[in-house]
Amino acid sequence: MELMNEITIEALNKVAKDFAEIGRCTVNLIVPFMEQVSKTTSILLTDNKKILHLALHHSKARVRKKNSNRIIREIGRYGRR
């Protein structure tokens, strides 16, 4: 009886490790894709090229975030072009 419990525990641990690995692989695939989708969406939906350039290429994260939020507000305010 005790041997069966140890085998079950080992099997469950292996399954848990496999699921964790699947999760990590999925995240590693989806995150770069979503970043590319958000950049493409910003490019297509904004007319202000200066804000777009600052949001994508500025050296400071604070400025990139500020300009990304400006793009989001502009899209929300005016919708699509």
Side-chain angles (χ1 to χ4, degrees):
M1 187 69 171
E2 193 171 313
L3 180 63
M4 186 63 155
N5 288 336
E6 291 176 12
I7 294 172
T8 305
I9 290 171
E10 289 176 14
L12 289 175
N13 285 336
K14 186 174 187 258
V15 169
K17 287 179 185 176
D18 291 342
F19 274 117
E21 185 64 29
I22 290 171
R24 281 191 291 276
C25 291
T26 304
V27 168
N28 290 338
L29 289 173
I30 290 176
V31 168
F33 174 73
M34 292 307 296
E35 288 174 351
Q36 200 65 27
V37 166
S38 67
K39 284 182 183 180
T40 305
T41 304
S42 297
I43 291 169
L44 292 174
L45 295 178
T46 187
D47 288 331
N48 195 334
K49 300 302 179 193
K50 179 182 177 184
I51 291 176
L52 178 64
H53 181 77
L54 290 173
L56 296 177
H57 301 293
H58 200 277
S59 60
K60 292 184 180 179
R62 180 177 179 179
V63 176
R64 289 192 306 268
K65 183 176 179 181
K66 177 176 76 170
N67 287 292
S68 295
N69 287 334
R70 283 182 178 174
I71 292 171
I72 291 169
R73 280 195 309 268
E74 179 181 326
I75 292 169
R77 192 175 306 132
Y78 301 113
R80 298 187 80 183
R81 291 192 253 173

Coordinates of all heavy atoms in Angstrom, one line a residue:
M1 N 0.8 -1.2 0.0 CA 0.0 0.0 0.0 C 0.9 1.3 0.0 O 0.6 2.2 -0.7 CB -0.9 0.0 1.2 CG -1.9 1.0 1.3 SD -3.1 0.7 0.0 CE -4.3 1.9 0.3
E2 N 1.9 1.2 0.8 CA 2.8 2.4 0.9 C 3.6 2.6 -0.4 O 3.8 3.7 -0.8 CB 3.7 2.2 2.1 CG 4.5 3.5 2.4 CD 5.2 3.3 3.7 OE1 4.6 2.8 4.7 OE2 6.4 3.7 3.7
L3 N 3.9 1.5 -1.1 CA 4.6 1.5 -2.3 C 3.8 2.2 -3.4 O 4.2 3.0 -4.2 CB 5.0 0.1 -2.8 CG 5.8 0.0 -4.1 CD1 7.1 0.7 -4.0 CD2 6.0 -1.4 -4.4
M4 N 2.5 1.9 -3.4 CA 1.6 2.5 -4.4 C 1.5 4.0 -4.2 O 1.5 4.8 -5.1 CB 0.2 1.8 -4.2 CG -0.8 2.3 -5.3 SD -0.1 1.7 -6.9 CE -1.6 1.6 -7.8
N5 N 1.5 4.5 -2.9 CA 1.4 5.9 -2.7 C 2.7 6.6 -3.2 O 2.6 7.7 -3.7 CB 1.2 6.1 -1.2 CG -0.2 5.8 -0.7 OD1 -1.1 5.7 -1.5 ND2 -0.3 5.5 0.6
E6 N 3.9 6.0 -3.0 CA 5.1 6.6 -3.5 C 5.1 6.7 -5.0 O 5.5 7.7 -5.5 CB 6.3 5.8 -3.0 CG 6.5 5.9 -1.5 CD 7.7 5.0 -1.0 OE1 8.4 4.5 -1.9 OE2 7.8 4.8 0.2
I7 N 4.7 5.6 -5.6 CA 4.6 5.6 -7.1 C 3.6 6.7 -7.6 O 3.9 7.4 -8.6 CB 4.2 4.2 -7.6 CG1 5.3 3.2 -7.3 CG2 3.9 4.3 -9.1 CD1 4.9 1.8 -7.6
T8 N 2.5 6.8 -6.9 CA 1.5 7.8 -7.3 C 2.1 9.2 -7.1 O 1.9 10.1 -8.0 CB 0.2 7.7 -6.5 OG1 -0.2 6.3 -6.6 CG2 -0.8 8.6 -6.9
I9 N 2.8 9.5 -6.0 CA 3.3 10.8 -5.7 C 4.4 11.1 -6.8 O 4.5 12.2 -7.3 CB 3.9 10.8 -4.3 CG1 2.8 10.8 -3.3 CG2 4.8 12.0 -4.1 CD1 3.2 10.6 -1.9
E10 N 5.3 10.1 -7.1 CA 6.3 10.4 -8.2 C 5.7 10.7 -9.5 O 6.1 11.6 -10.2 CB 7.2 9.2 -8.3 CG 8.1 9.0 -7.1 CD 8.9 7.7 -7.2 OE1 9.0 7.1 -8.3 OE2 9.5 7.3 -6.2
A11 N 4.6 10.0 -9.9 CA 3.9 10.2 -11.1 C 3.3 11.6 -11.2 O 3.4 12.3 -12.1 CB 2.9 9.2 -11.4
L12 N 2.7 12.0 -10.1 CA 2.0 13.3 -10.0 C 3.1 14.4 -10.0 O 2.9 15.5 -10.7 CB 1.2 13.4 -8.7 CG -0.1 12.6 -8.7 CD1 -0.8 12.7 -7.4 CD2 -1.0 13.1 -9.8
N13 N 4.2 14.2 -9.4 CA 5.3 15.2 -9.5 C 5.8 15.4 -10.9 O 6.1 16.5 -11.4 CB 6.5 14.8 -8.5 CG 6.1 15.1 -7.1 OD1 5.3 15.9 -6.8 ND2 6.8 14.4 -6.2
K14 N 6.0 14.2 -11.6 CA 6.4 14.3 -13.0 C 5.4 15.0 -13.9 O 5.8 15.9 -14.7 CB 6.6 12.9 -13.5 CG 7.2 12.9 -14.9 CD 7.6 11.5 -15.3 CE 8.3 11.5 -16.6 NZ 7.6 11.2 -17.8
V15 N 4.1 14.8 -13.7 CA 3.1 15.4 -14.4 C 3.1 16.9 -14.1 O 3.0 17.8 -15.0 CB 1.7 14.8 -14.1 CG1 0.6 15.7 -14.7 CG2 1.6 13.4 -14.7
A16 N 3.3 17.3 -12.9 CA 3.3 18.7 -12.5 C 4.5 19.4 -13.2 O 4.4 20.6 -13.6 CB 3.4 18.9 -11.0
K17 N 5.7 18.8 -13.2 CA 6.9 19.3 -13.8 C 6.6 19.5 -15.3 O 7.0 20.5 -15.9 CB 8.1 18.5 -13.6 CG 8.6 18.5 -12.2 CD 9.8 17.6 -12.0 CE 10.3 17.6 -10.6 NZ 11.4 16.6 -10.4
D18 N 6.0 18.5 -16.0 CA 5.7 18.6 -17.4 C 4.7 19.8 -17.7 O 4.9 20.5 -18.6 CB 5.1 17.3 -17.9 CG 6.1 16.2 -17.9 OD1 7.3 16.5 -17.8 OD2 5.7 15.0 -18.0
F19 N 3.7 19.9 -16.9 CA 2.8 21.1 -17.1 C 3.5 22.4 -16.9 O 3.2 23.4 -17.6 CB 1.6 20.9 -16.1 CG 0.5 20.1 -16.7 CD1 0.1 18.9 -16.1 CD2 -0.2 20.5 -17.8 CE1 -0.9 18.1 -16.6 CE2 -1.2 19.7 -18.4 CZ -1.6 18.5 -17.7
A20 N 4.4 22.5 -15.9 CA 5.1 23.7 -15.7 C 6.0 24.1 -16.9 O 6.1 25.2 -17.3 CB 6.0 23.6 -14.4
E21 N 6.6 23.1 -17.5 CA 7.4 23.3 -18.7 C 6.6 23.7 -19.8 O 7.0 24.6 -20.6 CB 8.2 22.0 -19.0 CG 9.1 22.1 -20.2 CD 10.2 23.1 -19.9 OE1 10.6 23.2 -18.7 OE2 10.7 23.7 -20.8
I22 N 5.4 23.1 -20.0 CA 4.5 23.5 -21.1 C 4.1 25.0 -20.9 O 4.0 25.8 -21.8 CB 3.2 22.6 -21.1 CG1 3.6 21.2 -21.6 CG2 2.1 23.2 -22.0 CD1 2.5 20.2 -21.5
G23 N 3.8 25.4 -19.6 CA 3.4 26.8 -19.3 C 4.5 27.7 -19.7 O 4.3 28.8 -20.3
R24 N 5.8 27.4 -19.3 CA 6.9 28.3 -19.6 C 7.1 28.4 -21.1 O 7.4 29.5 -21.6 CB 8.2 27.7 -19.0 CG 8.3 28.0 -17.5 CD 9.7 27.7 -17.0 NE 10.0 26.3 -17.0 CZ 9.6 25.5 -16.0 NH1 9.0 26.0 -14.9 NH2 9.9 24.2 -16.0
C25 N 7.0 27.3 -21.8 CA 7.1 27.3 -23.3 C 6.1 28.2 -23.9 O 6.3 29.0 -24.9 CB 7.1 25.9 -23.9 SG 8.6 24.9 -23.5
T26 N 4.8 28.1 -23.5 CA 3.7 28.8 -24.0 C 4.0 30.3 -23.8 O 3.8 31.1 -24.7 CB 2.4 28.4 -23.3 OG1 2.3 27.0 -23.5 CG2 1.2 29.1 -23.9
V27 N 4.4 30.7 -22.6 CA 4.7 32.1 -22.3 C 5.8 32.6 -23.2 O 5.7 33.7 -23.7 CB 5.0 32.3 -20.8 CG1 5.5 33.7 -20.5 CG2 3.7 32.1 -20.0
N28 N 6.8 31.8 -23.4 CA 8.0 32.3 -24.2 C 7.6 32.4 -25.6 O 8.2 33.2 -26.4 CB 9.1 31.2 -24.1 CG 9.8 31.3 -22.7 OD1 9.7 32.3 -22.0 ND2 10.4 30.2 -22.4
L29 N 6.5 31.7 -26.1 CA 6.1 31.9 -27.5 C 5.1 33.1 -27.6 O 5.1 33.8 -28.6 CB 5.4 30.7 -27.9 CG 6.3 29.5 -28.2 CD1 5.4 28.2 -28.5 CD2 7.2 29.7 -29.4
I30 N 4.2 33.3 -26.6 CA 3.1 34.2 -26.7 C 3.6 35.7 -26.5 O 3.2 36.6 -27.2 CB 2.0 33.9 -25.8 CG1 1.3 32.6 -26.4 CG2 1.0 35.0 -25.7 CD1 0.2 32.1 -25.5
V31 N 4.5 35.9 -25.5 CA 4.9 37.2 -25.1 C 5.5 38.0 -26.3 O 5.1 39.1 -26.6 CB 5.8 37.2 -23.9 CG1 6.5 38.5 -23.7 CG2 5.0 36.8 -22.7
P32 N 6.5 37.4 -27.0 CA 7.1 38.2 -28.2 C 6.0 38.4 -29.3 O 6.0 39.5 -29.9 CB 8.2 37.3 -28.7 CG 8.5 36.4 -27.6 CD 7.3 36.2 -26.8
F33 N 5.1 37.5 -29.5 CA 4.1 37.7 -30.5 C 3.2 38.9 -30.1 O 2.9 39.7 -30.9 CB 3.3 36.4 -30.6 CG 2.1 36.5 -31.5 CD1 2.2 36.6 -32.9 CD2 0.8 36.6 -31.0 CE1 1.1 36.8 -33.7 CE2 -0.3 36.7 -31.8 CZ -0.1 36.8 -33.1
M34 N 2.8 38.9 -28.8 CA 1.9 40.0 -28.4 C 2.6 41.3 -28.4 O 2.0 42.4 -28.7 CB 1.3 39.7 -27.0 CG 0.4 38.5 -26.9 SD -1.0 38.7 -28.1 CE -1.8 40.1 -27.5
E35 N 3.9 41.4 -28.1 CA 4.6 42.6 -28.2 C 4.6 43.1 -29.7 O 4.4 44.3 -29.9 CB 6.1 42.4 -27.7 CG 6.2 42.3 -26.2 CD 7.6 41.9 -25.8 OE1 8.5 41.7 -26.7 OE2 7.8 42.0 -24.6
Q36 N 4.8 42.2 -30.6 CA 4.8 42.6 -32.0 C 3.4 43.1 -32.4 O 3.3 44.0 -33.2 CB 5.3 41.4 -32.9 CG 5.8 41.8 -34.2 CD 7.0 42.6 -34.2 OE1 7.8 42.6 -33.3 NE2 7.2 43.5 -35.2
V37 N 2.4 42.4 -32.0 CA 1.0 42.8 -32.3 C 0.7 44.2 -31.7 O 0.2 45.1 -32.4 CB 0.0 41.8 -31.7 CG1 -1.4 42.4 -31.8 CG2 0.1 40.5 -32.5
S38 N 1.2 44.5 -30.5 CA 0.9 45.8 -30.0 C 1.7 46.9 -30.7 O 1.1 48.0 -30.9 CB 1.2 45.9 -28.5 OG 2.6 45.7 -28.3
K39 N 2.9 46.6 -31.1 CA 3.7 47.6 -31.9 C 3.0 47.9 -33.2 O 2.8 49.0 -33.7 CB 5.1 47.1 -32.1 CG 6.0 47.3 -30.9 CD 7.4 46.8 -31.3 CE 8.3 46.9 -30.1 NZ 9.7 46.4 -30.4
T40 N 2.6 46.8 -33.9 CA 1.9 47.0 -35.2 C 0.6 47.7 -35.1 O 0.3 48.6 -35.9 CB 1.7 45.6 -35.8 OG1 2.9 44.9 -35.8 CG2 1.1 45.7 -37.2
T41 N -0.1 47.4 -34.0 CA -1.4 48.2 -33.8 C -1.1 49.6 -33.6 O -1.8 50.5 -34.1 CB -2.1 47.5 -32.6 OG1 -2.3 46.2 -32.8 CG2 -3.5 48.2 -32.4
S42 N -0.1 50.0 -32.8 CA 0.2 51.4 -32.6 C 0.6 52.1 -33.8 O 0.2 53.2 -34.1 CB 1.4 51.5 -31.6 OG 1.0 50.9 -30.3
I43 N 1.4 51.4 -34.7 CA 1.8 52.0 -35.9 C 0.6 52.3 -36.8 O 0.5 53.3 -37.5 CB 2.8 51.1 -36.6 CG1 4.2 51.1 -35.8 CG2 3.1 51.5 -38.1 CD1 5.1 50.0 -36.2
L44 N -0.3 51.3 -36.9 CA -1.4 51.4 -37.8 C -2.5 52.4 -37.3 O -3.2 53.1 -38.1 CB -2.1 50.1 -38.0 CG -1.3 49.0 -38.8 CD1 -2.0 47.7 -38.8 CD2 -1.0 49.5 -40.2
L45 N -2.6 52.6 -36.0 CA -3.7 53.4 -35.5 C -3.4 54.8 -35.0 O -4.2 55.5 -34.6 CB -4.4 52.6 -34.3 CG -5.1 51.3 -34.7 CD1 -5.7 50.7 -33.5 CD2 -6.1 51.6 -35.8
T46 N -2.1 55.2 -35.2 CA -1.8 56.6 -34.8 C -1.2 57.4 -36.0 O -0.6 56.8 -36.8 CB -0.7 56.6 -33.6 OG1 -0.6 57.9 -33.2 CG2 0.6 56.0 -34.0
D47 N -1.5 58.7 -36.0 CA -1.0 59.6 -37.0 C 0.2 60.3 -36.5 O 0.9 60.8 -37.3 CB -2.1 60.6 -37.4 CG -3.2 59.9 -38.2 OD1 -3.0 58.9 -38.9 OD2 -4.4 60.4 -38.1
N48 N 0.4 60.4 -35.2 CA 1.5 61.2 -34.7 C 2.8 60.4 -34.7 O 3.0 59.6 -33.8 CB 1.1 61.7 -33.3 CG 2.0 62.8 -32.8 OD1 3.1 62.9 -33.2 ND2 1.5 63.6 -31.9
K49 N 3.6 60.7 -35.7 CA 4.8 59.9 -35.8 C 5.9 60.2 -34.7 O 6.6 59.3 -34.4 CB 5.4 60.2 -37.2 CG 4.5 59.8 -38.4 CD 4.1 58.3 -38.3 CE 3.2 58.0 -39.4 NZ 2.5 56.8 -39.3
K50 N 5.9 61.4 -34.2 CA 6.8 61.7 -33.1 C 6.5 60.9 -31.9 O 7.4 60.3 -31.3 CB 6.7 63.2 -32.8 CG 7.7 63.7 -31.7 CD 7.6 65.1 -31.4 CE 8.5 65.5 -30.3 NZ 8.3 66.9 -29.9
I51 N 5.3 60.9 -31.5 CA 4.9 60.1 -30.3 C 5.2 58.6 -30.5 O 5.7 57.9 -29.6 CB 3.4 60.4 -29.9 CG1 3.2 61.8 -29.4 CG2 2.9 59.4 -28.9 CD1 1.8 62.1 -29.2
L52 N 4.9 58.1 -31.7 CA 5.2 56.7 -32.0 C 6.6 56.4 -31.9 O 7.0 55.4 -31.3 CB 4.6 56.4 -33.4 CG 4.9 55.0 -33.9 CD1 4.1 54.0 -33.0 CD2 4.5 54.8 -35.3
H53 N 7.5 57.3 -32.5 CA 8.9 57.1 -32.4 C 9.4 57.1 -31.0 O 10.2 56.2 -30.6 CB 9.7 58.1 -33.3 CG 11.1 57.9 -33.2 ND1 11.8 57.0 -34.0 CD2 12.1 58.6 -32.6 CE1 13.1 57.0 -33.8 NE2 13.3 58.0 -32.9
L54 N 9.0 58.0 -30.2 CA 9.4 58.1 -28.8 C 8.9 56.9 -28.0 O 9.6 56.4 -27.1 CB 8.9 59.4 -28.1 CG 9.5 60.7 -28.6 CD1 8.8 61.9 -28.0 CD2 11.0 60.7 -28.3
A55 N 7.7 56.4 -28.3 CA 7.1 55.2 -27.6 C 7.9 54.0 -27.9 O 8.0 53.1 -27.1 CB 5.7 55.0 -28.0
L56 N 8.5 53.9 -29.1 CA 9.2 52.7 -29.5 C 10.7 52.7 -29.3 O 11.3 51.7 -29.0 CB 8.9 52.4 -31.0 CG 7.5 52.1 -31.3 CD1 7.4 51.9 -32.8 CD2 7.0 50.8 -30.6
H57 N 11.3 53.9 -29.3 CA 12.8 54.0 -29.4 C 13.5 54.8 -28.4 O 14.7 54.9 -28.4 CB 13.2 54.5 -30.8 CG 12.7 53.7 -31.9 ND1 13.1 52.4 -32.1 CD2 11.7 53.9 -32.9 CE1 12.5 51.9 -33.2 NE2 11.6 52.8 -33.6
H58 N 12.8 55.5 -27.5 CA 13.5 56.4 -26.5 C 14.3 55.5 -25.6 O 13.9 54.4 -25.2 CB 12.5 57.3 -25.8 CG 13.1 58.5 -25.2 ND1 13.7 58.4 -23.9 CD2 13.3 59.7 -25.6 CE1 14.2 59.6 -23.6 NE2 13.9 60.4 -24.6
S59 N 15.4 56.1 -25.1 CA 16.2 55.3 -24.2 C 15.7 55.2 -22.8 O 16.0 54.2 -22.1 CB 17.6 56.0 -24.1 OG 17.5 57.3 -23.6
K60 N 14.8 56.1 -22.3 CA 14.3 56.0 -21.0 C 12.9 55.3 -21.0 O 12.0 55.7 -21.8 CB 14.1 57.4 -20.4 CG 15.4 58.1 -20.1 CD 15.2 59.4 -19.4 CE 16.5 60.1 -19.2 NZ 16.3 61.4 -18.5
A61 N 12.8 54.4 -20.1 CA 11.5 53.6 -20.0 C 10.3 54.5 -19.6 O 9.2 54.3 -20.1 CB 11.6 52.5 -19.0
R62 N 10.6 55.5 -18.8 CA 9.5 56.4 -18.4 C 8.9 57.2 -19.6 O 7.7 57.3 -19.7 CB 10.1 57.4 -17.4 CG 9.1 58.4 -16.9 CD 9.7 59.3 -15.8 NE 8.8 60.3 -15.4 CZ 9.1 61.2 -14.4 NH1 10.3 61.2 -13.9 NH2 8.2 62.0 -14.1
V63 N 9.8 57.6 -20.5 CA 9.3 58.4 -21.7 C 8.6 57.4 -22.6 O 7.6 57.8 -23.2 CB 10.5 59.0 -22.4 CG1 10.1 59.7 -23.7 CG2 11.2 60.0 -21.5
R64 N 9.1 56.2 -22.8 CA 8.4 55.2 -23.6 C 7.0 54.9 -23.1 O 6.0 54.9 -23.9 CB 9.2 53.9 -23.7 CG 10.5 54.0 -24.5 CD 11.1 52.6 -24.8 NE 11.3 51.8 -23.6 CZ 12.4 51.8 -22.9 NH1 13.4 52.5 -23.3 NH2 12.5 51.0 -21.8
K65 N 6.9 54.7 -21.8 CA 5.6 54.4 -21.2 C 4.6 55.6 -21.4 O 3.5 55.4 -21.7 CB 5.8 54.1 -19.7 CG 4.5 53.7 -19.0 CD 4.8 53.3 -17.6 CE 3.5 52.9 -16.9 NZ 3.7 52.6 -15.5
K66 N 5.1 56.8 -21.1 CA 4.3 58.0 -21.2 C 3.7 58.2 -22.7 O 2.5 58.4 -22.9 CB 5.1 59.3 -20.9 CG 4.3 60.6 -21.0 CD 5.2 61.8 -20.6 CE 6.2 62.1 -21.6 NZ 6.9 63.4 -21.4
N67 N 4.6 58.0 -23.7 CA 4.1 58.1 -25.0 C 3.3 56.9 -25.5 O 2.3 57.1 -26.3 CB 5.3 58.3 -26.0 CG 5.9 59.7 -25.8 OD1 5.3 60.6 -26.2 ND2 7.1 59.8 -25.2
S68 N 3.5 55.7 -24.9 CA 2.6 54.6 -25.2 C 1.2 54.9 -24.7 O 0.2 54.6 -25.3 CB 3.1 53.3 -24.6 OG 4.3 53.0 -25.1
N69 N 1.1 55.5 -23.5 CA -0.2 55.9 -22.9 C -0.8 57.0 -23.7 O -2.0 57.0 -23.8 CB 0.0 56.3 -21.4 CG 0.3 55.1 -20.5 OD1 -0.1 54.0 -20.8 ND2 1.0 55.4 -19.4
R70 N 0.0 57.9 -24.3 CA -0.6 58.9 -25.2 C -1.3 58.3 -26.4 O -2.3 58.7 -26.8 CB 0.5 59.9 -25.6 CG 0.9 60.9 -24.6 CD 1.9 61.8 -25.1 NE 2.2 62.8 -24.1 CZ 3.2 63.7 -24.3 NH1 3.9 63.7 -25.4 NH2 3.5 64.6 -23.3
I71 N -0.6 57.3 -27.0 CA -1.1 56.6 -28.1 C -2.4 55.9 -27.7 O -3.4 56.0 -28.5 CB -0.1 55.6 -28.7 CG1 1.1 56.3 -29.3 CG2 -0.8 54.7 -29.7 CD1 2.2 55.5 -29.7
I72 N -2.5 55.2 -26.6 CA -3.7 54.5 -26.1 C -4.8 55.5 -26.0 O -5.9 55.2 -26.4 CB -3.4 53.7 -24.9 CG1 -2.4 52.6 -25.2 CG2 -4.7 53.2 -24.2 CD1 -1.9 51.9 -24.0
R73 N -4.5 56.7 -25.3 CA -5.6 57.7 -25.1 C -6.1 58.2 -26.5 O -7.3 58.4 -26.7 CB -5.0 58.8 -24.3 CG -5.0 58.5 -22.8 CD -4.9 59.8 -22.0 NE -3.8 60.6 -22.4 CZ -2.5 60.5 -21.9 NH1 -2.2 59.7 -20.9 NH2 -1.6 61.4 -22.3
E74 N -5.1 58.4 -27.4 CA -5.5 58.9 -28.7 C -6.4 58.0 -29.5 O -7.4 58.3 -30.0 CB -4.2 59.2 -29.5 CG -4.5 59.7 -30.9 CD -3.2 59.9 -31.7 OE1 -2.2 60.3 -31.1 OE2 -3.2 59.7 -32.9
I75 N -6.1 56.7 -29.4 CA -6.9 55.7 -30.0 C -8.3 55.6 -29.4 O -9.3 55.5 -30.0 CB -6.2 54.3 -30.0 CG1 -5.0 54.3 -30.9 CG2 -7.2 53.2 -30.4 CD1 -4.1 53.1 -30.7
G76 N -8.3 55.7 -28.0 CA -9.6 55.7 -27.3 C -10.4 56.9 -27.6 O -11.7 56.8 -27.7
R77 N -9.8 58.0 -27.8 CA -10.5 59.3 -28.0 C -11.0 59.4 -29.4 O -12.2 59.8 -29.6 CB -9.6 60.5 -27.7 CG -10.2 61.8 -27.6 CD -9.3 62.9 -27.2 NE -8.5 62.6 -26.0 CZ -7.2 62.7 -25.9 NH1 -6.5 63.1 -26.9 NH2 -6.6 62.4 -24.7
Y78 N -10.2 59.1 -30.4 CA -10.6 59.3 -31.8 C -10.9 58.0 -32.5 O -11.4 58.0 -33.6 CB -9.5 60.0 -32.5 CG -9.2 61.3 -31.9 CD1 -7.9 61.6 -31.3 CD2 -10.1 62.4 -31.9 CE1 -7.6 62.8 -30.7 CE2 -9.8 63.6 -31.3 CZ -8.6 63.8 -30.7 OH -8.3 65.0 -30.2
G79 N -10.6 56.9 -31.9 CA -10.9 55.6 -32.6 C -10.0 55.4 -33.8 O -8.9 55.9 -33.8
R80 N -10.4 54.7 -34.7 CA -9.6 54.4 -35.9 C -9.6 55.7 -36.8 O -10.5 56.5 -36.7 CB -10.1 53.3 -36.7 CG -10.1 52.0 -35.9 CD -10.5 50.8 -36.7 NE -9.3 50.5 -37.5 CZ -9.2 49.5 -38.4 NH1 -10.3 48.9 -38.6 NH2 -8.1 49.3 -39.1
R81 N -8.5 55.8 -37.6 CA -8.4 56.9 -38.5 C -9.5 57.0 -39.5 O -10.2 56.2 -39.9 CB -7.1 56.9 -39.3 CG -5.9 57.0 -38.4 CD -4.7 57.2 -39.3 NE -3.9 56.0 -39.2 CZ -2.9 55.8 -39.9 NH1 -2.5 56.6 -40.8 NH2 -2.2 54.7 -39.8

